[in-house]
Amino acid sequence: MATYNVKSKFQIVAELPDVVVLEDLDGKCSVTNDAERVVRHLANVGLKDRHLIYRDTDGVWDELLHDGSGTFKGFRLIGAELLNDALRAVRGAT
């Protein structure tokens, strides 16, 4: 698993065909507060039309919305505590 430091610190937990899964590693800035930089940075790993979900420092899964080319578009609150529940939520939203 690669660890990235943008302003926040996170790691890519999984790269699935339809979802990129991140974990916030509780750096100086959270993934939530650094969402624009995180999405812009991850555009380099080929986000395209994949969902981008992350587990925040409270252990809750939510989604970073993006346009596929590195522009952050907002949040989708999933509120799941389990990864499988978060994956079901984003896959049902497509």
Side-chain angles (χ1 to χ4, degrees):
M1 283 181 263
T3 300
Y4 297 93
N5 283 301
V6 184
K7 192 173 179 184
S8 60
K9 185 175 181 182
F10 64 90
Q11 68 183 4
I12 296 175
V13 176
E15 287 190 61
L16 307 172
D18 57 340
V19 183
V20 176
V21 181
L22 307 178
E23 180 178 8
D24 190 326
L25 297 177
D26 201 17
K28 293 179 183 179
C29 182
S30 69
V31 168
T32 303
N33 291 330
D34 199 25
E36 289 184 26
R37 283 187 194 87
V38 170
V39 169
R40 191 168 41 247
H41 178 75
L42 289 176
N44 296 327
V45 302
L47 280 178
K48 299 184 182 175
D49 61 351
R50 292 191 285 177
H51 293 278
L52 178 54
I53 63 173
Y54 72 104
R55 187 172 78 184
D56 67 19
T57 54
D58 293 326
V60 177
W61 292 96
D62 290 313
E63 183 174 10
L64 299 176
L65 303 174
H66 62 89
D67 68 357
S69 66
T71 302
F72 172 67
K73 295 292 188 176
F75 296 96
R76 176 170 177 249
L77 300 177
I78 298 170
E81 293 184 9
L82 300 174
L83 175 56
N84 284 338
D85 292 339
L87 290 169
R88 272 192 291 280
V90 296
R91 288 174 173 155
T94 333

